[in-house]
Amino acid sequence: MRNMLKHITGVETYLIFSLFLFLVFFAGMLIWLFVFLKKNQVEYFKNVPFDGTENNAKFPKMPILLLIAMIISPLSAFAQDKPTFYVDSTLFTEWTMLFLIFIAIFLTAITLGVAIQLLLIMYNLTATEEEKQLGIWQVLLGLKPIAKEKDLMLPEKYDGISELDNPVPAWFNMLFGVTIFFAVVYMGIYHVWKVGDLQDEEYVKEVQYAGVQKEQYLKKIASLIDENNVKVTKDKKALDEGAKVYQINCASCHGKKGEGGLGPNLADEYWLHGGNINQVFKTIKKGVAAKGMISWEKKLNPLQIQNTASFILTFQGTNPPNPKEPQGEKFVEKSSAKGNAK
C-alpha cells in the first residue's frame, strides 16, 4: 500500500481528493437530512403535500442539488487533458494519503450509520401497520406474511402444484442498478477519459517501478558489500555488467576469455591467492602490488567488484584457446576458506 501511494500521479491525487471531498459532503448531507427528519417527523411528511408549492420550502433541496453538482463537476474536469483543479502529487505524501484513507473509512462508517437511521425513520413514516408488524428487513427482502400466501398463488396448476406470484425483491433490483452504475463509471474512467490504467498498462508500470526500486536497493547495499559478506550472483544483468567491467579493465592482462596473458589464467583450477568469491573479491579490491595488479577499490564500487568477481568465476571449466600454463595451487572450495585471491 505504501509503495503504491509513493508513485501516484497528480491526476490520481485529484481523483482521490475529489472522492474524499464528495464523501465528506455526502456524510454531511445525510447528517443534515437526518436532523431535519428528526425535527419534523410524521407531522411534516403526512401534512405537507409535495406539490411544488411554497409549503415545501422547508425540505432540504439545496444539499441534494449540491450533491448532484459535485457528481457532475469531476466529469467535465476529467474530460480535459489536465483537470481544472489539478492537485500536485508532491503535496500528497504517503502519510497524508494514509491519513485521508483513514478519515474516509471513518466517514464511511458514520455515513452508513446515518443512512441506516434515515432508512428506519422513512420506514416508520411510510410503512403500513401490516408492514410494521412484518418488520423492516422482511419488507426490504420482499417477503410476505405466511397468512397471505394464498393471495399470491397463481390460478394455473401443474400436477396439482401451485406457484406463488413472488416479484423480484426490491433489494435485488437495487443491486442490479448499482452494477449498471458501476459499469458506466468504470467505462468512463478507464475507457473514455482514461484516467485510470488498464490491467496491462498497470502491470507494465508496476514492473518498471519495481525495477527502479531494485536499482535503488542495490545502490543502497552496494557500499555494504565487502570480502566477508560478498556472494556469487547469478543474475544475468549483474553478470553482464561484470562482463563489461572485465572487458574494459581486466581483459588486457587476463585475456578476453580468461585464458591469461600478463596475468594468470582464470579458467583453470589453479589459483595464486585462492579461488572462491571472497578471495577473488579481495584480490580485485586490494590488488597485488608485488605482481603488478593495482587496487580497484577507488575506481569500482563494491557492487561492481562483486559482479566482476562473479563473472570471472564463470570462466571455470570453459577451456579457452591458447591458455596460459597453470600457476599457483589447485583450488578446493572450503566453507571456511579465508585469505587472498589470484
Side-chain angles (χ1 to χ4, degrees):
M1 169 66 76
R2 291 178 61 185
N3 287 336
M4 178 188 71
L5 294 178
K6 286 180 181 178
H7 62 288
I8 56 179
T9 66
V11 175
E12 289 166 343
T13 55
Y14 170 79
L15 177 61
I16 294 172
F17 192 63
S18 296
L19 293 176
F20 175 76
L21 291 179
F22 170 78
L23 183 59
V24 172
F25 187 84
F26 186 71
M29 190 204 73
L30 283 182
I31 295 173
W32 185 5
L33 190 59
F34 173 72
V35 173
F36 173 84
L37 292 177
K38 288 292 288 184
K39 287 182 178 179
N40 291 276
Q41 289 291 329
V42 180
E43 292 77 10
Y44 180 78
F45 280 94
K46 287 194 174 180
N47 297 328
V48 180
F50 289 90
D51 54 6
T53 64
E54 60 182 4
N55 294 329
N56 299 323
K58 293 193 299 180
F59 189 73
K61 298 175 183 177
M62 184 56 66
I64 297 178
L65 295 176
L66 289 176
L67 178 62
I68 295 174
M70 261 194 103
I71 294 174
I72 297 175
S73 61
L75 303 184
S76 61
F78 277 113
Q80 306 171 32
D81 293 335
K82 188 175 183 180
T84 305
F85 303 102
Y86 187 84
V87 182
D88 189 353
S89 60
T90 58
L91 299 177
F92 285 80
T93 64
E94 54 181 306
W95 293 111
T96 304
M97 296 303 300
L98 287 172
F99 175 74
L100 288 179
I101 291 174
F102 172 79
I103 297 298
I105 294 174
F106 177 71
L107 288 174
T108 301
I110 294 178
T111 303
L112 288 175
V114 175
I116 291 174
Q117 292 298 319
L118 283 173
L119 181 65
L120 291 174
I121 291 175
M122 296 302 296
Y123 175 77
N124 291 328
L125 291 175
T126 59
T128 63
E129 290 300 324
E130 180 183 339
E131 289 174 336
K132 290 181 180 180
Q133 292 178 2
L134 187 60
I136 184 172
W137 297 114
Q138 285 76 8
V139 172
L140 289 176
L141 294 175
L143 302 177
K144 300 292 183 182
I146 301 240
K148 290 199 169 184
E149 187 175 88
K150 63 180 183 297
D151 299 331
L152 300 175
M153 288 186 181
L154 295 172
E156 298 83 3
K157 292 186 178 181
Y158 302 92
D159 295 331
I161 300 175
S162 298
E163 184 179 359
L164 295 179
D165 184 16
N166 277 326
V168 177
W171 65 267
F172 187 87
N173 289 327
M174 291 176 61
L175 183 61
F176 182 66
V178 169
T179 60
I180 296 176
F181 176 76
F182 175 83
V184 172
V185 173
Y186 182 90
M187 178 173 290
I189 292 176
Y190 289 96
H191 296 280
V192 178
W193 301 295
K194 296 184 179 180
V195 175
D197 295 324
L198 297 177
Q199 289 183 345
D200 53 347
E201 297 170 342
E202 185 177 0
Y203 172 77
V204 171
K205 287 186 177 180
E206 288 296 328
V207 170
Q208 292 175 347
Y209 180 70
V212 172
Q213 291 292 93
K214 181 180 178 181
E215 290 180 3
Q216 292 177 350
Y217 172 75
L218 292 176
K219 290 179 181 178
K220 181 179 179 181
I221 67 171
S223 59
L224 304 177
I225 300 174
D226 59 25
E227 55 270 28
N228 297 313
N229 60 23
V230 63
K231 302 293 182 183
V232 177
T233 180
K234 301 293 185 181
D235 182 70
K236 184 179 183 304
K237 183 178 180 180
L239 291 175
D240 290 342
E241 292 176 355
K244 290 179 182 179
V245 173
Y246 176 86
Q247 296 300 331
I248 293 173
N249 301 293
C250 312
S252 58
C253 291
H254 295 281
K256 292 184 177 181
K257 297 183 179 180
E259 68 274 12
L262 294 176
N265 184 344
L266 301 177
D268 60 25
E269 298 176 320
Y270 294 84
W271 296 79
L272 291 171
H273 307 288
N276 66 16
I277 185 66
N278 307 81
Q279 296 161 338
V280 175
F281 182 96
K282 186 174 183 179
T283 298
I284 299 172
K285 177 181 178 181
K286 300 296 185 181
V288 184
K291 298 293 179 68
M293 179 172 177
I294 66 172
S295 169
W296 290 96
E297 64 178 330
K298 293 183 179 179
K299 295 185 178 181
L300 302 176
N301 64 49
L303 183 60
Q304 289 175 310
I305 298 177
Q306 175 183 262
N307 295 340
T308 305
S310 298
F311 173 73
I312 288 173
L313 292 180
T314 64
F315 287 139
Q316 290 293 293
T318 56
N319 299 316
N322 303 317
K324 188 175 182 179
E325 68 279 0
Q327 294 175 275
E329 298 179 357
K330 186 175 182 179
F331 175 76
V332 178
E333 181 71 40
K334 293 182 181 179
S335 58
S336 60
K338 298 288 182 182
N340 292 329
K342 199 166 186 172

